[in-house]
Amino acid sequence: MKKNEIQLRDRALYLNQLIAFQDTEPFKIITGIRRCGKSSLMKLMVRHLRQSGVADEQIIEINFESLEFSRMNADMLYQYVKGHLPAGRRVYLFLDEIQRIDQWQDAVNSFRVDFDCDIYVTGSNAYLLSSEYATYLAGRCVEIKMLPLSFSEFLDFHGYTVREAKSPAGGMRRRIVDADNESYEPRELLEAYMKFGGMPGIADVGLDTTKALAILDSIYSTVVIRDILEREKRRGQRRIVDSNLLRRIIMFLADNIGNSTSITSMCNTLMNERLLDDDDRKGKPAVQTIQAYIGALLESFVFYEIKRFDIKGKEYLRTLGKYYIVDIGLRNYLLGFRDMDTGHIIENIVYFELLRRGYDVAICKVGDREVDFIATNTHEKRYIQVTESMNDPSTRERELEPLRKIRDNHEKLVITNYRDSHATHDGIKIVLLTDFLLDT
């Protein structure tokens, strides 16, 4: 335990959320793609408890991927916990990858009812909180949605420190330094983030392409084989059985992040490439097949779907949505480190940064035009365009025009990798991507 704790790196964004709900009745469920840091987050919480004076015998940790617990069912889990309860003291339960236990929700609810306990669980699949369980779990759980590393976390995990100093022209400028005090421009490290992505395991091997690809290959194999194909078998369903078709759909979505995506056009592409069998070559069944595969990818947190919001009608639309991949490093692993579609990559990065900051995010339809994101929370609303550069006049006009059409007083900004000297246009803020990512 001590060795693992020494290697832990801080994930304050998520740890603070857990601490805020410590010793409250709802159980805490940490969800997210495999290998994004859920188990480490639980260890960070355990360390916090110990530092707060909680005794070791009050903490029960179970990882259901360990052979010691892999054959447990809900009844066995209940009896195990019951047999390890400290006399007359509150117990803190940490149950890692709980989805591997059938009827896990019965055991967890029994702990909540029968014992004086504070419960923390992790799961690598949104099926944990699907409609099947939603009624049963309503009001009984708090979900902590975990993502791979943000740009700021990426810098920290890889040993970089951000320093600010006054610029000769006024204002502040940022420099990033490594452990040897070597200095870098923020954009240099952003390029590394756009290449390697934010999976925490890459920090253990360094920014080496060969080693990073090995880590990403392992993550991909684990997600596809364990989180999708094996789960379908445990459910007793046979809708998702073709690993080659699943990979092709993943490749299609990865190559089209930020693009409007039609299930029908995807079906046509796959049928033309003869990747759907004869039973699926009748139109509607093929659509249902693809929808089932995409649903599994969404459940496993590989891709996230974003809907359109019509600002005039004030409603979400059922027309074409877009998909974003949870980690750009995974996309580069799948497609190769070729000439990257930088515009859509930075759009992908901004989308997930908005989710990290607690926003609900949608595409904003403004008449016949669109704004990339409308981001809302309980305190504010922001309209956001994302583009690689604002230096070209025609590009600048294209990005600004739909924002000008929005007549309310909420913040409007363009996030860009490159800009001219102007920080605003017509009252619309122009923000450098590195500044947006580092201004937390």
Side-chain angles (χ1 to χ4, degrees):
M1 179 59 67
K2 289 183 179 179
K3 180 179 179 182
N4 288 338
E5 287 190 354
I6 291 172
Q7 296 174 346
L8 291 177
R9 295 179 174 92
D10 189 29
R11 301 293 298 275
L13 172 65
Y14 306 104
L15 179 60
N16 289 339
Q17 293 180 56
L18 286 183
I19 293 172
F21 287 102
Q22 180 184 331
D23 293 319
T24 60
E25 183 179 359
F27 71 89
K28 279 62 72 175
I29 181 164
I30 308 163
T31 59
I33 190 172
R34 281 186 179 272
R35 312 277 284 279
C36 73
K38 300 185 300 296
S39 299
S40 294
L41 177 60
M42 291 227 292
K43 291 183 182 299
L44 285 168
M45 188 64 191
V46 168
R47 185 172 69 183
H48 164 77
L49 291 173
R50 290 193 171 112
Q51 291 172 346
S52 302
V54 176
D56 285 351
E57 58 266 25
Q58 292 178 259
I59 299 171
I60 299 175
E61 298 179 79
I62 301 175
N63 186 334
F64 294 106
E65 294 197 312
S66 167
L67 282 175
E68 182 179 1
F69 305 108
S70 63
R71 297 185 183 277
M72 270 190 172
N73 58 33
D75 290 337
M76 293 165 64
L77 172 59
Y78 182 87
Q79 294 302 322
Y80 177 89
V81 170
K82 184 177 180 180
H84 286 78
L85 292 176
R89 308 179 77 179
R90 163 160 281 218
V91 67
Y92 295 84
L93 300 178
F94 292 86
L95 310 174
D96 204 359
E97 295 298 347
I98 191 74
Q99 78 274 354
R100 299 184 71 82
I101 300 295
D102 289 334
Q103 304 303 314
W104 63 270
Q105 71 278 6
D106 292 332
V108 169
N109 194 49
S110 294
F111 298 152
R112 189 182 63 85
V113 172
D114 296 345
F115 308 141
D116 179 14
C117 60
D118 195 19
I119 306 169
Y120 302 81
V121 305
T122 75
S124 297
N125 202 280
Y127 181 64
L128 284 169
L129 296 174
S130 67
S131 57
E132 180 176 338
Y133 293 140
T135 301
Y136 187 90
L137 298 174
R140 301 174 182 176
C141 69
V142 173
E143 184 182 7
I144 309 297
K145 300 175 182 179
M146 198 167 194
L147 292 167
L149 303 178
S150 67
F151 181 49
S152 293
E153 290 176 318
F154 172 86
L155 295 176
D156 179 55
F157 270 51
H158 289 275
Y160 295 97
T161 302
V162 180
R163 293 179 180 172
E164 293 188 353
K166 287 187 177 180
S167 169
M172 304 296 291
R173 64 181 179 88
R174 287 188 171 101
R175 299 288 290 177
I176 298 175
V177 298
D178 61 17
D180 298 322
N181 210 35
E182 187 77 23
S183 180
Y184 302 87
E185 290 287 344
R187 189 175 288 128
E188 293 180 82
L189 276 303
L190 178 62
E191 289 174 358
Y193 182 61
M194 292 169 63
K195 177 179 180 180
F196 292 100
M199 284 298 182
I202 292 179
D204 296 329
V205 301
L207 300 178
D208 176 275
T209 301
T210 301
K211 293 177 181 177
L213 285 174
I215 296 291
L216 294 168
D217 177 73
S218 174
I219 294 169
Y220 170 80
S221 300
T222 301
V223 169
V224 171
I225 294 173
R226 202 176 291 175
D227 266 1
I228 298 179
L229 299 180
E230 287 187 3
R231 189 186 75 254
E232 288 296 304
K233 293 178 183 178
R234 289 200 303 272
R235 282 183 179 177
Q237 299 180 11
R238 302 296 295 171
R239 297 182 70 186
I240 301 173
V241 297
D242 188 338
S243 60
N244 290 327
L245 176 58
L246 183 60
R247 182 179 177 87
R248 184 67 187 88
I249 292 171
I250 292 172
M251 296 282 284
F252 183 97
L253 293 177
D255 201 26
N256 286 276
I257 56 170
N259 290 328
S260 297
T261 301
S262 160
I263 302 297
T264 300
S265 64
M266 190 185 307
C267 288
N268 292 336
T269 299
L270 294 171
M271 285 192 290
N272 289 338
E273 297 180 7
R274 306 193 65 80
L275 288 172
L276 292 174
D277 60 35
D278 292 336
D279 291 336
D280 286 328
R281 291 175 176 273
K282 300 176 182 179
K284 190 172 182 180
V287 170
Q288 294 172 342
T289 298
I290 301 305
Q291 286 177 330
Y293 277 73
I294 291 177
L297 291 168
L298 297 175
E299 283 188 351
S300 294
F301 305 107
V302 182
F303 290 92
Y304 285 60
E305 184 179 14
I306 182 171
K307 301 293 187 180
R308 279 180 166 79
F309 182 81
D310 184 352
I311 192 171
K312 184 177 181 180
K314 296 183 179 180
E315 63 180 356
Y316 288 95
L317 304 174
R318 294 186 178 181
T319 52
L320 300 179
K322 295 181 181 181
Y323 297 89
Y324 294 102
I325 193 166
V326 70
D327 181 71
I328 285 298
L330 279 174
R331 181 181 191 262
N332 293 332
Y333 155 77
L334 289 163
L335 301 180
F337 292 97
R338 63 191 189 192
D339 291 336
M340 298 187 292
D341 180 0
T342 306
H344 281 138
I345 287 176
I346 65 175
E347 187 178 317
N348 199 103
I349 289 171
V350 169
Y351 170 72
F352 283 102
E353 185 63 24
L354 290 169
L355 293 186
R356 287 187 190 93
R357 298 182 187 185
Y359 289 100
D360 292 321
V361 187
I363 304 163
C364 183
K365 184 176 183 296
V366 186
D368 60 349
R369 300 295 301 276
E370 286 185 351
V371 173
D372 290 324
F373 302 124
I374 176 174
T376 59
N377 60 24
T378 55
H379 304 293
E380 64 179 336
K381 179 186 295 183
R382 311 172 83 184
Y383 301 99
I384 301 170
Q385 290 281 66
V386 182
T387 185
E388 183 176 4
S389 174
M390 282 288 282
N391 293 341
D392 180 72
S394 60
T395 300
R396 185 162 57 243
E397 181 59 26
R398 184 190 68 215
E399 301 299 330
L400 293 173
E401 183 188 1
L403 290 173
R404 293 194 193 103
K405 291 183 176 180
I406 301 172
R407 300 303 183 184
D408 63 33
N409 294 321
H410 295 292
E411 183 182 41
K412 303 169 184 66
L413 68 153
V414 180
I415 299 173
T416 180
N417 217 12
Y418 301 93
R419 73 175 187 196
D420 58 23
S421 59
H422 298 285
T424 63
H425 284 274
D426 302 326
I428 298 167
K429 295 180 182 178
I430 314 300
V431 180
L432 283 174
L433 178 59
T434 50
D435 290 337
F436 171 76
L437 296 175
L438 294 175
D439 286 339
T440 56

